[in-house]
Each structure stands twice: as C-alpha cells, then as structure tokens.
Amino acid sequence: MTATVQLKITLESLTDAISSLSLEQKRQLVEILEQQIFEAEEENYEDDSQTLAEIEAVQTEYATGEYVTFDEYVKTSFLSST
C-alpha cells in the first residue's frame, strides 16, 4: 500500500532544497518534472477544440493519401537544395 502526503512549502524553501541536491539528483528531478509537464500538456491537448480539429484534419489527409513520407521529403529537400 502506498501512502500519499501533500506538503505546502514556499517556493523559496523549495528552491533552497533543490539547491542542496547533487547534480544527479537534479537531473532526476528534471526528468520527473518534464514527464509531469508532458502529461499535463497532453491532457490539455485532448480538451482543446483547435488541437482536436487539427488532429482530425491530419487524420483525414492521411486517410486520403495526402501526405509525404519522410524518405520522400528528404529526397525532395536534398534535390531542391542542390
């Protein structure tokens, strides 16, 4: 069984605590924060009507064959730059 504890600390105290961490611990903290930010942004995207409309448009383009593969893009980009 996992217990959950919620703490309320000032940003200054949190900053002090982070400053006392080792470099490796700070890297671990960054990974945790990046994952949580990604998850929070993903939840927002799912609720955003503009994002949903863009996803639907892309899915429609894909279904109708209106896309370029990465290899085709690279080949075209390379040829146009020479």
Side-chain angles (χ1 to χ4, degrees), residues 12-61:
E12 182 180 351
S13 295
L14 180 59
T15 303
D16 291 343
I18 292 170
S19 295
S20 70
L21 297 175
S22 70
L23 181 58
E24 183 58 32
Q25 290 169 322
K26 288 177 183 176
R27 286 185 176 138
Q28 289 175 344
L29 180 58
V30 166
E31 287 179 25
I32 292 167
L33 290 172
E34 286 177 344
Q35 181 62 36
Q36 289 185 2
I37 290 169
F38 173 79
E39 290 171 3
E41 288 176 340
E42 192 173 60
E43 287 176 17
N44 289 338
Y45 291 148
E46 293 172 357
D47 296 334
D48 181 55
S49 60
Q50 181 179 352
T51 301
L52 292 174
E54 290 173 5
I55 291 170
E56 187 175 304
V58 168
Q59 289 172 333
T60 301
E61 289 173 0

